[in-house]
Amino acid sequence: MQNQMIGSFFGRVIAFVIPGLIALYALSYFAPPLRNLFGLTQPPTVAGFLFVLLCSIGLGVFVSGIRWMIFHLWLEREIDATNLNEKNDDAFRGLVSDYYQFYQFYSNSAVSVLFFFAAWVLTQPYSGRATLCFGIATLATLAVLITCARNTAGNYYRESNRFLRKDDS
């Protein structure tokens, strides 16, 4: 039970908090006082840490909504959960933590990285070489994140449907 709670907590951290943190940092380009919370201009505080954590969770959930709008039709499929019951619920939750939460991390992070790049381009003075290098790095990062999202989503839906098609007898 405790391992399941730790896995669930870890899954939520990677699925929402990390992409939310990237989005919050991107917002700091538009709202410079947010940079203080990251300890870039002054020493970090406990209150600042808690505020960043809370904002990261909220932005992570918001980014997840944007991710759903972008990726849903492309990657997400239906699962026939008619065979889901109390006997196999824990095993199914294992599939969610093994695959779906990683899909959420990769796809949510792709949305956050795209937002970060847009924030950087819109707020920094144009520098041909720096913009080109950062653009290439962003494209490479997005390619990795989207490829990983596609892979983990495919694994989740394939394994979930295979698992739920099993006969309980």
Side-chain angles (χ1 to χ4, degrees), residues 19-133:
L21 187 63
I22 296 168
L24 183 63
Y25 191 77
L27 279 177
S28 75
Y29 281 100
F30 298 107
L34 285 176
R35 290 191 171 240
N36 297 341
L37 299 173
F38 287 96
L40 299 175
T41 57
Q42 62 187 26
T45 64
V46 173
F49 168 77
L50 293 174
F51 184 75
V52 166
L53 181 63
L54 188 63
C55 288
S56 295
I57 293 168
L59 278 171
V61 171
F62 179 75
V63 163
S64 189
I66 295 171
R67 180 254 326 153
W68 176 84
M69 290 176 14
I70 295 170
F71 287 91
H72 180 70
L73 294 174
W74 182 43
L75 293 178
E76 295 184 13
R77 293 170 271 198
E78 294 297 320
I79 292 178
D80 179 13
T82 54
N83 290 336
L84 189 61
N85 56 45
E86 288 181 17
K87 291 182 201 173
N88 62 12
D89 184 58
D90 285 342
F92 184 74
R93 287 178 192 270
L95 284 173
V96 169
S97 65
D98 287 348
Y99 295 112
Y100 192 73
Q101 289 177 330
F102 284 93
Y103 157 68
Q104 287 178 308
F105 165 74
Y106 292 128
S107 54
N108 287 349
S109 292
V111 171
S112 292
V113 165
L114 194 58
F115 181 59
F116 178 79
F117 179 72
W120 185 83
V121 166
L122 291 172
T123 59
Q124 300 304 305
Y126 178 76
S127 169
R129 177 174 279 165
T131 303
L132 178 65
C133 290

